[in-house]
């Protein structure tokens, strides 16, 4: 019986991973701002929020997505996101991690498309935009523009 429960739990987590969406990229010209954009649906953003929370509790955590591994590390004075083809390294201090967690919780619970800004990031851009149900698919926000995530989602 226990093996079936674990198998069903693993299947549920795998299905959530395959069905939810997040995308993250450096967008140097987002509305005339240099930003890192993290866009996702509620389930995708909840996965990121859980990983940031785990890093706050344990010092580090990982979130394996379809394309990239997100690694979260709590380091004093840090506010950096390193983006590569197969990995996203989030280095955050405790205060920045708490700010991101609170904002993601609000976005996930909002029930409608919205976004928020995390200021005073160090690199690769000074602002992190957290976006719920925006920029994921064609809409009035993206009409006539090149898709922000033409390669798909993580």
């Amino acid at each position: 019986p226990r093996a079936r429960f674990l198998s069903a739990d693993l299947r549920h987590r795998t299905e959530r991973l395959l069905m939810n969406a997040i995308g993250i990229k450096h967008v140097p010209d987002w509305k005339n701002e240099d930003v890192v954009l993290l866009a996702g649906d509620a389930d995708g953003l909840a996965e990121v929020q859980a990983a940031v929370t785990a890093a706050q509790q344990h010092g580090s955590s990982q979130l394996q997505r379809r394309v990239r591994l997100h690694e979260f590390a709590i380091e004093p004075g840090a506010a950096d996101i390193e983006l590569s083809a197969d990995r996203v390294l989030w280095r955050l201090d405790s205060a920045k991690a708490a700010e991101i967690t609170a904002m993601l919780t609000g976005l996930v619970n909002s029930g409608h498309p919205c976004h928020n800004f995390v200021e005073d990031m160090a690199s690769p851009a000074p602002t992190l935009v957290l976006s719920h149900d925006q920029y994921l698919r064609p809409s009035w926000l993206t009409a006539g523009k090149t898709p922000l995530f033409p390669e798909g989602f993580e």
Side-chain angles (χ1 to χ4, degrees), residues 7 17-18 29 39 53-54 69 71-72 80-81 89 93 95 113 118 123 128 134 144 153:
S7 176
L17 174 66
L18 294 174
D29 58 352
T53 298
L69 172 66
E71 296 179 278
F72 300 85
D80 303 285
I81 302 172
L89 176 58
D93 66 17
V118 180
S123 68
L128 169 63
Q134 299 172 315
F153 304 108

Side-chain angles (χ1 to χ4, degrees), residues 55 60-63 69-73 87-91:
S60 66
S61 70
Q62 295 184 340
L63 172 61
L69 172 66
H70 289 250
E71 296 179 278
F72 300 85
R87 181 175 153 219
V88 179
L89 176 58
W90 301 71
R91 286 193 309 267

Side-chain angles (χ1 to χ4, degrees), residues 16-26 36-41 43-45 47-48 63-72 81-90 136 149 151-154:
R16 279 192 67 198
L17 174 66
L18 294 174
M19 293 179 70
N20 66 43
I22 65 168
I24 185 168
K25 71 186 305 181
H26 181 211
V36 171
L37 174 64
L38 173 67
D41 62 14
D43 287 340
L45 293 178
E47 295 278 334
V48 175
L63 172 61
Q64 180 63 58
R65 297 293 299 174
R66 291 180 287 263
V67 176
R68 294 193 269 195
L69 172 66
H70 289 250
E71 296 179 278
F72 300 85
I81 302 172
E82 290 182 22
L83 303 165
S84 68
D86 62 348
R87 181 175 153 219
V88 179
L89 176 58
W90 301 71
L136 297 175
F149 300 100
E151 63 280 354
F153 304 108
E154 301 190 24

Side-chain angles (χ1 to χ4, degrees), residues 41-43 45-46 49 103-111 132:
D41 62 14
D43 287 340
L45 293 178
Q49 187 271 335
M103 287 185 181
L104 285 171
T105 300
L107 293 173
V108 167
N109 294 329
S110 70
H132 172 240

